[in-house]
Amino acid sequence: GEDVEQSLFLSVREGDSSVINCTYTDSSSTYLYWYKQEPGAGLQLLTYIFSNMDMKQDQRLTVLLNKKDKHLSLRIADTQTGDSAIYFCAENSYSSASKIIFGSGTRLSIRP
Amino acid sequence: EPEVTQTPSHQVTQMGQEVILRCVPISNHLYFYWYRQILGQKVEFLVSFYNNEISEKSEIFDDQFSVERPDGSNFTLKIRSTKLEDSAMYFCASRASSGSNEQYFGPGTRLTVT
């Protein structure tokens, strides 16, 4: 069945780049998403990529998609303390235009 | 910027009681969703709703659950007889149209069943 996996924790130094990785199993995935969840807040849509794209850049965020390996990554350049949050990788399958399948989330912590 | 809102932020109820979780989706959106996240687990899809009917539901969404859009603005999730395992964060989401793939989430309602 559909599954999305990501590592649980990542710690980076302020000013460095953060790279959060994700793998998914559904080869019919149409859209792949990154959501951000700050403490006590909801799920904020950061960015998404269509499955026929390799890369998408939006200011400090770069999404890379390797469709052959079913691997998605989110790079945050010049990581700031405000980037501390849980980042969820998610996919939307062509077989179901409704639901989004989420990974477990990666908790990003920033050290000075 | 328009956003999805949910009330209450935290609901405590006794096992066997009925609860209604409320959501106000973004005003021009047509598709509505409920997800839940049990503590320490993944965010799970529950149900999607379009044109006043359920378009898809998961195995979790059994007869104890129901959804309703009672007026032009609210979208509710009812749990008829709550169980301890219903304790979770419940997220509402909405999407503008079939041509949009962006689901916008509310802040969630934390449901605690005692």
Side-chain angles (χ1 to χ4, degrees), chain B residues 88-108:
Chain B
M89 182 74 93
Y90 288 81
F91 293 106
C92 173
S94 69
R95 176 164 70 104
S97 67
S98 58
S100 164
N101 294 284
E102 300 172 21
Q103 286 188 26
Y104 294 92
F105 284 74

Side-chain angles (χ1 to χ4, degrees), chain A residues 6 20 33-47 60-61 74 76 79-90 102 105-106 108 110, chain B residues 91 105-106:
Chain A
Q6 49 186 131
I20 303 171
Y33 307 84
W34 286 103
Y35 281 85
K36 176 182 180 183
Q37 186 180 35
E38 296 181 80
L43 298 162
Q44 176 197 353
L45 178 61
L46 279 180
T47 186
R60 290 191 299 122
L61 305 178
L74 174 70
I76 305 172
T79 310
Q80 303 298 307
T81 54
D83 295 324
S84 292
I86 300 176
Y87 290 82
F88 290 93
C89 173
F102 284 86
T106 299
L108 176 64
I110 316 301
Chain B
F91 293 106
F105 284 74

Side-chain angles (χ1 to χ4, degrees), chain B residues 51-65:
Chain B
N51 201 26
N52 279 323
E53 59 183 28
I54 291 173
S55 47
E56 186 176 0
K57 59 183 181 179
S58 72
E59 292 175 355
I60 304 166
F61 194 88
D62 61 21
D63 292 344
Q64 292 299 311
F65 291 87

